[in-house]
């Protein structure tokens, strides 16, 4: 039976909540780190109701049975409009889900592009090979990995590294290392633009004064050479499946990550910092710790996977050539063949 694609409306909410709960149950079999919270439609319906208010969506039906849905939020991100579907904002059934995703994207992306939104992103549960294949076939590539581990002590962490909890008086030192992190991410192969706010110190100053945000500095011969931070759940919005999980803290959190100066990497400083983070997390009653890193950040992937972090959500992105705004299929033939 052919699949019909229609705009997502409130009448589709119950079907979508049931489908998402079924996807989450199947996902927990592959990835036990996922919380049991979203295994029933009563818990997924409020998530989808919020998604409906954030941007347009599409629903796929095979006869009277929902085959899938795709919801999106539209936001201004790094100077560009971006359409994003987070990990709890979409699902497909087991019958040719690859094609269902492709058809829903074809319908929804037309609306995004017509409204000047050329960056498209989606977060997928790690291990969902069918979903990954569908979005790769549409030109999406891996961009960010969310990974999780328990808060047990770090194996092989040295107790001899000088690690200190940072406070407001350490603002200048923290900013120097934060800029070091930004410079690292601006280098090959990540190539993230190093854009600095008018006064980048203000948010960090407030965070250092907040006892719920913890940041540690590692010192070598009296000089700060690394930092790592951790924050309570909810400090970062994604992955959505862990947003409200009170037993999961965010490594990086408000401060945006971890950084070890390149000249001292491999000397055990990262392990020592992570061990302090895990100790703080255990003392706070956290069972798990989640973080994200750019998939093109080779050093980050090597370190985090080596310390037991397992991918839980993969975020993919596609950038549409913005010339399509004027060089589109409805362009007049006279313009196409004109000899200037």
């Amino acid at each position: 039976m052919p699949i019909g694609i229609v705009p997502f409306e409130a009448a589709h909410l119950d079907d979508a909540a049931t489908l998402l709960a079924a996807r989450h149950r199947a996902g927990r079999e592959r990835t036990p780190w996922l919380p049991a919270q979203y295994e029933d439609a009563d818990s997924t319906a409020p998530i989808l109701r919020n998604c409906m208010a954030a941007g347009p969506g599409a629903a796929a039906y095979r006869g009277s049975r929902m085959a899938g849905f795709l919801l999106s939020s539209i936001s201004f991100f790094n100077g560009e409009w971006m359409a994003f579907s987070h990990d709890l904002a979409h699902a497909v059934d087991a019958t040719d889900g690859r094609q269902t995703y492709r058809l829903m994207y074809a319908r929804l992306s037309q609306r995004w592009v017509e409204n000047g939104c050329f960056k498209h992103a989606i977060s997928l549960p790690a291990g969902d090979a069918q979903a990954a294949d569908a979005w790769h076939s549409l030109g999406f590539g891996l961009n960010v990995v969310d990974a999780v581990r328990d808060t047990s002590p770090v194996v092989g962490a040295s107790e001899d590294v000088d690690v200190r909890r940072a406070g407001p008086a350490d603002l200048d030192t923290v900013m120097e290392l934060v800029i070091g992190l930004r410079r690292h991410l601006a280098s090959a192969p990540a190539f993230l633009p190093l854009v600095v706010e008018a006064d980048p110190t203000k948010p960090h100053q407030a965070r250092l004064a907040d006892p719920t945000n913890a940041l540690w500095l590692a010192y070598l011969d009296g000089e700060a050479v690394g930092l790592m931070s951790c924050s309570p759940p909810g400090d970062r919005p994604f992955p959505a499946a862990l947003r409200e999980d009170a037993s999961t803290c965010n490594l990086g959190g408000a401060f945006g990550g971890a950084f070890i100066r390149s000249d001292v990497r491999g000397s055990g400083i990262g392990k020592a910092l992570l061990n302090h983070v895990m100790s703080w997390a255990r003392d706070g009653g956290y069972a798990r710790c989640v973080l994200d890193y750019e998939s093109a950040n080779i050093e980050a992937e090597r370190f985090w996977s080596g310390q037991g972090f397992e991918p839980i959500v993969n975020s993919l992105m596609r950038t549409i050539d913005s010339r399509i705004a004027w060089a589109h299929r409805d362009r007049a033939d006279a313009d196409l063949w004109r000899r200037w």
Side-chain angles (χ1 to χ4, degrees):
M1 182 177 294
I3 296 175
I5 309 296
V6 296
F8 193 97
E9 298 177 350
H12 303 133
L13 190 60
D14 289 345
D15 287 346
T18 300
L19 190 60
L20 178 59
R23 192 209 76 183
H24 192 74
R25 289 193 298 271
R28 290 195 71 233
E29 294 180 5
R30 294 189 306 268
T31 310
W33 290 111
L34 290 170
Q37 179 180 358
Y38 301 113
E39 288 194 348
D40 62 83
D42 288 340
S43 61
T44 56
I47 297 288
L48 299 180
R49 195 172 291 112
N50 289 336
C51 290
M52 286 180 61
Y61 276 85
R62 190 178 290 106
S64 61
R65 185 180 181 86
M66 176 174 274
F69 69 92
L70 177 63
L71 300 176
S72 67
S73 62
I74 308 297
S75 61
F76 201 62
F77 180 74
N78 286 344
E80 299 179 87
W81 288 105
M82 184 173 77
F84 175 53
S85 182
H86 65 64
D87 50 297
L88 294 181
H90 57 86
V92 294
D93 67 10
T95 306
D96 198 6
R98 180 181 187 273
Q99 183 69 354
T100 303
Y101 270 132
R102 287 167 58 84
L103 291 172
M104 291 191 297
Y105 176 70
R107 174 66 65 87
L108 201 51
S109 61
Q110 181 69 33
R111 184 171 176 185
W112 295 339
V113 170
E114 286 175 349
N115 286 278
C117 185
F118 303 117
K119 280 195 176 295
H120 305 166
I122 187 166
S123 291
L124 307 174
D128 190 338
Q130 177 181 243
D133 178 53
W135 292 95
H136 287 152
S137 75
L138 290 163
F140 283 72
L142 183 61
N143 185 49
V144 174
V145 176
D146 289 281
V148 66
R149 87 184 287 274
D150 62 31
T151 55
S152 60
V154 176
V155 176
S158 173
E159 298 290 338
D160 298 328
V161 178
D162 182 8
V163 177
R164 311 173 197 171
R165 178 82 176 262
D170 298 302
L171 178 62
D172 289 344
T173 300
V174 169
M175 290 308 302
E176 183 178 344
L177 291 169
V178 167
I179 293 300
L181 170 62
R182 300 289 295 277
R183 291 189 186 280
H184 170 69
L185 292 174
S187 64
F191 293 121
L192 294 186
L194 205 173
V195 180
V196 180
E197 300 88 352
D199 185 359
T201 65
K202 281 188 176 180
H204 290 291
Q205 193 169 28
R207 290 161 185 160
L208 285 169
D210 183 351
T212 64
N213 293 318
L215 184 143
W216 290 265
L217 296 169
Y219 289 83
L220 185 63
D221 298 328
E223 185 178 5
V225 294
L227 64 77
M228 195 173 291
S229 64
C230 204
S231 300
D235 180 64
R236 280 191 169 181
F238 305 109
L242 293 176
R243 185 187 308 168
E244 298 180 6
D245 183 10
S247 63
T248 302
C249 58
N250 291 317
L251 196 152
F255 294 94
F259 177 69
I260 310 298
R261 225 170 56 187
S262 60
D263 58 317
V264 296
R265 288 177 195 155
S267 61
I269 290 173
K271 281 188 176 182
L273 281 166
L274 182 59
N275 202 38
H276 277 75
V277 170
M278 294 298 100
S279 177
W280 175 87
R282 290 193 304 275
D283 290 345
Y286 297 113
R288 291 174 295 277
C289 185
V290 67
L291 57 80
D292 67 75
Y293 58 86
E294 281 71 25
S295 58
N297 188 345
I298 296 172
E299 293 85 355
E301 182 182 53
R302 182 188 301 125
F303 178 77
W304 298 124
S305 62
Q307 305 313 313
F309 281 88
E310 300 176 15
I312 189 171
V313 167
N314 292 325
S315 294
L316 285 64
M317 183 175 289
R318 180 188 185 194
T319 301
I320 307 297
D321 188 332
S322 61
R323 290 177 298 178
I324 197 65
W326 56 268
H328 49 72
R329 67 178 185 178
D330 296 324
R331 193 177 178 195
D333 289 350
D335 287 337
L336 291 175
W337 304 116
R338 180 178 298 165
R339 296 178 183 274
W340 298 100

